[in-house]
Amino acid sequence: MNQTSRTAGATTRPVRIAVFASGGGTNLQALLDHFQGGAAEIARVALVVSDREGVGALDRAERAGVATRVIPVRGRDEDDVARDTLAALSDAEVDLVALAGYLRLVPAEVVRRYRDRILNIHPALLPAFGGKGMYGARVHAAVIEAGCRISGATIHVVDEEYDRGAILLQWPVPVLADDTPERLAARVLRVEHRIYPLTVEAVARGLATGEAVRPLSLPDAVTFGLVDADGPDEAEVRRALGLL
Ligand code: GRF
């Protein structure tokens, strides 16, 4: 397995990731831990971008010795945000972008230049419970309000619209009878921390070998032990329904 990047041209080196975050940054932390550990030869977090000063994600980046940039978005012209963002990504020689609690729409010009190389994680099973304004506790409150018994996390490629690009991986999480948005959020977040670093690693490995980003297929998911291809057996369904 070629574990270095060809995306940067002749020199081979680990894939360079930028993480965009607007908040506390627990997913950022999971990515930092993963790529400063065993996966360091495949990829590393080279830059953390936030649209806000003073957020936890920036503190986490600084503690990990990773460069940070604050690029404000509110009230600014999209072209200016795009220009600043592209300059930051270019300066840090970024190959792959992972949004992790980034609450802004990525400018269309940035999406165009990094087509299929920007990922996002969303705390529900898209395309349901996504779109503009669907973030944080609102997502989980809507899931509970709708009476869903299953929620989950979705990792997808970012395109020009909120939460709309090709889905790479989804992982189900049960909604329990007495759930509050906070309890459900915490349960989904634990899953996010497991699936995001591994998915970013899978995409980085693909970039390093020149493959296009593609959905993690069911055979991949079976290989990773994520999914039982045969579905539940009758006894499992009976047990779930209280018939056993
Ligand atoms: C996560 O639930 C993620 O799915 C969503 O925003 C939240 C960010 O949490 N996009 P954190 O800042 O990583 O703790």
Side-chain angles (χ1 to χ4, degrees):
M1 166 73 68
N2 177 356
Q3 294 182 333
T4 51
S5 169
R6 289 188 204 146
T7 57
T11 53
T12 56
R13 55 161 175 73
V15 168
R16 293 174 67 81
I17 300 166
V19 179
F20 285 26
S22 304
T26 65
N27 276 289
L28 165 65
Q29 190 66 56
L31 291 164
L32 289 168
D33 293 346
H34 187 71
F35 291 107
Q36 288 186 338
E41 69 218 16
I42 308 204
R44 65 195 48 176
V45 179
L47 177 68
V48 170
V49 172
S50 182
D51 58 311
R52 300 173 184 185
E53 301 272 6
V55 294
L58 293 171
D59 297 337
R60 291 177 191 274
E62 276 154 27
R63 277 201 297 277
V66 171
T68 61
R69 287 286 296 272
V70 174
I71 303 177
V73 174
R74 190 190 291 260
R76 293 183 71 207
D77 194 80
E78 184 181 312
D79 289 347
D80 294 339
V81 176
R83 190 198 54 235
D84 291 355
T85 306
L86 288 169
L89 296 177
S90 163
D91 289 350
E93 297 181 45
V94 167
D95 307 302
L96 179 63
V97 176
L99 309 186
Y102 185 66
L103 299 180
R104 300 291 175 179
L105 195 62
V106 177
E109 180 61 12
V110 178
V111 172
R112 198 180 65 73
R113 295 274 288 277
Y114 280 78
R115 178 74 65 197
D116 291 338
R117 290 189 288 144
I118 308 178
L119 311 182
N120 182 43
I121 187 158
H122 184 78
L125 296 177
L126 293 175
F129 305 110
K132 186 168 168 55
M134 281 301 262
Y135 60 85
R138 286 187 209 175
V139 177
H140 305 291
V143 166
I144 292 168
E145 173 66 24
C148 296
R149 311 303 296 272
I150 302 281
S151 189
T154 301
I155 298 166
H156 65 96
V157 175
V158 170
D159 68 9
E160 286 81 354
E161 290 180 62
Y162 281 108
D163 301 328
R164 267 280 309 277
I167 290 169
L168 297 180
L169 184 70
Q170 295 188 301
W171 193 272
V173 174
V175 182
L176 303 184
D178 57 351
D179 261 346
T180 59
E182 292 70 28
R183 274 203 288 262
L184 178 57
R187 193 175 310 116
V188 173
L189 202 53
R190 282 197 295 277
V191 169
E192 294 181 44
H193 296 162
R194 298 231 177 107
I195 65 174
Y196 207 21
L198 292 170
T199 303
V200 173
E201 179 187 326
V203 171
R205 284 179 184 273
L207 281 180
T209 53
E211 283 174 41
V213 174
R214 64 191 165 83
L216 295 173
S217 64
L218 185 60
D220 291 331
V222 173
T223 306
F224 297 155
L226 304 183
V227 174
D228 177 352
D230 298 327
D233 63 27
E234 185 178 328
E236 282 178 272
V237 179
R238 283 183 177 278
R239 203 172 303 118
L241 295 174
L243 296 175
L244 272 187

